[in-house]
Amino acid sequence: MSEPTTTDVGAEKTPILETKNLVVGFGDRVVIDGLDLTVNRGEVLGVIGPSGSGKSVTLRAIIGLLPHRSGTVKVFGRDYQSLSRRERLETEQRWGVLFQQGALFSSLTVLENVEFPMREHLALPARLRREIARLKIELVGLGPEAHNLYPSELSGGMIKRAALARALALDPEILFLDEPTSGLDPIGAARFDELILTLRQALDLTVYMVTHDLDSLAAVCDRIAALGRGKLLMVGTLSDMLGADDPWLRDYFGGPRARHLEKA
Ligand SMILES: Nc1ncnc2c1ncn2[C@@H]1O[C@H](COP(=O)(O)OP(=O)(O)OP(=O)(O)O)[C@@H](O)[C@H]1O
């Protein structure tokens, strides 16, 4: 399954992530059947598809949390499966992940959550680790009053920001975001979109973002990959998507909630 439609974005295109013929399934069921997908350095790729189409499963397979049945996942130019344990750990330090529900450790404060990846991967003095965690928390727009709060004391938007600060803890080159704006009100979601754009600019990030949010697609994404029926339906810009023939894409981008995108 090759990428059916691709429009060039930007002059330089260096793949940072490539899946080739990726197959992922559970028991008798194949969820993703031969996915070829490329994410180029510096771009924001939005991944869309109907509920249950395998967006999260694909993300988890790419970052090695789920085994794949066949195919390859190349990150930073190397086949992740073929790496030694040490090399995998080194690779994992070069990406950050924001899971759908934030996945913060409930028994740790915001500050401790953000410090956690540094504790695991870097031999830093405690004071420096804490200082870096404070900077990351500031970077995502949370005030010092959030430092000592536990996840149960945070609003949905604060959880997303704290989880983003943790994902940024190790200065990743690529950020994986699983529905970063779900559960946020429209103002909170728009602010989060702005934050992603600012961080991408400031930190030179590549972003792989699973989303249902049409506004995020329009505001943040350079290209969009649409999954459906176990395969890649289409890859392209928003304007490519607006002209798509696929019935699901026509419904998705032609529905009442997408009307404003035509004018965007
Ligand atoms: N651990 C698992 N065991 C068995 N089936 C699973 C497992 N995880 C996911 N699935 C199945 O894989 C399919 C794809 O799930 P996935 O979570 O990737 O969907 P999605 O596209 O992210 O959906 P949504 O938009 O609703 O979040 C679903 O049918 C789901 O039930």
Side-chain angles (χ1 to χ4, degrees):
M1 187 196 331
S2 60
E3 294 186 5
T5 308
T6 307
T7 304
D8 286 358
V9 176
E12 192 197 344
K13 293 177 87 186
T14 314
I16 193 168
L17 167 68
E18 284 176 284
T19 72
K20 284 261 183 300
N21 209 15
L22 183 70
V23 180
V24 191
F26 302 95
D28 295 340
R29 177 150 181 244
V30 174
V31 176
I32 289 295
D33 193 7
L35 178 69
D36 288 354
L37 186 63
T38 302
V39 185
N40 296 309
R41 194 172 277 281
E43 80 169 335
V44 181
L45 180 81
V47 179
I48 62 168
S51 195
S53 57
K55 302 179 294 297
S56 298
V57 160
T58 302
L59 191 158
R60 277 155 55 209
I62 287 172
I63 59 175
L65 289 181
L66 257 185
H68 53 268
R69 291 201 180 153
S70 57
T72 55
V73 176
K74 263 195 190 173
V75 196
F76 311 118
R78 299 192 64 192
D79 180 355
Y80 186 75
Q81 287 288 110
S82 69
L83 301 180
S84 67
R85 198 178 131 66
R86 191 178 56 78
E87 288 169 329
R88 280 188 188 196
L89 278 174
E90 283 166 8
T91 302
E92 287 164 19
Q93 288 179 42
R94 296 172 67 186
W95 69 52
V97 187
L98 192 162
F99 292 100
Q100 215 167 333
Q101 312 298 337
L104 294 171
F105 298 111
S106 58
S107 60
L108 301 183
T109 64
V110 168
L111 202 54
E112 289 164 346
N113 261 287
V114 179
E115 277 188 73
F116 190 84
M118 290 184 268
R119 224 180 248 278
E120 290 287 287
H121 291 285
L122 308 176
L124 292 177
R127 275 177 62 184
L128 179 57
R129 201 172 55 216
R130 190 137 286 212
E131 197 48 43
I132 295 172
R134 287 199 180 104
L135 287 172
K136 303 291 173 180
I137 291 168
E138 192 182 336
L139 195 63
V140 300
L142 286 176
E145 65 284 356
H147 288 176
N148 297 317
L149 297 179
Y150 287 90
S152 61
E153 299 173 303
L154 303 176
S155 70
M158 290 168 87
I159 287 176
K160 300 276 188 194
R161 282 172 191 264
L164 183 60
R166 190 179 61 183
L168 294 170
L170 299 175
D171 295 327
E173 291 162 60
I174 180 166
L175 203 52
F176 292 95
L177 310 174
D178 196 352
E179 300 197 23
T181 57
S182 73
L184 300 186
D185 65 57
I187 296 169
R191 286 202 185 120
F192 206 88
D193 286 342
E194 277 168 32
L195 175 61
I196 301 293
L197 280 179
T198 309
L199 292 176
R200 175 238 196 142
Q201 198 78 27
L203 307 177
D204 212 11
L205 282 169
T206 304
V207 181
Y208 179 107
M209 177 169 80
V210 173
T211 187
H212 283 288
D213 188 329
L214 285 157
D215 292 323
S216 291
L217 289 175
V220 180
C221 298
D222 299 308
R223 287 193 307 149
I224 298 165
L227 303 183
R229 305 187 292 278
K231 60 184 186 126
L232 186 63
L233 299 175
M234 182 169 175
V235 182
T237 62
L238 179 60
S239 98
D240 295 332
M241 295 286 153
L242 292 171
D245 282 336
D246 177 84
W248 183 80
L249 285 169
R250 268 210 317 265
D251 284 351
Y252 188 80
F253 288 103
R257 294 184 151 212
R259 293 263 150 77
H260 62 293
L261 296 181
E262 302 270 3
K263 299 175 211 117

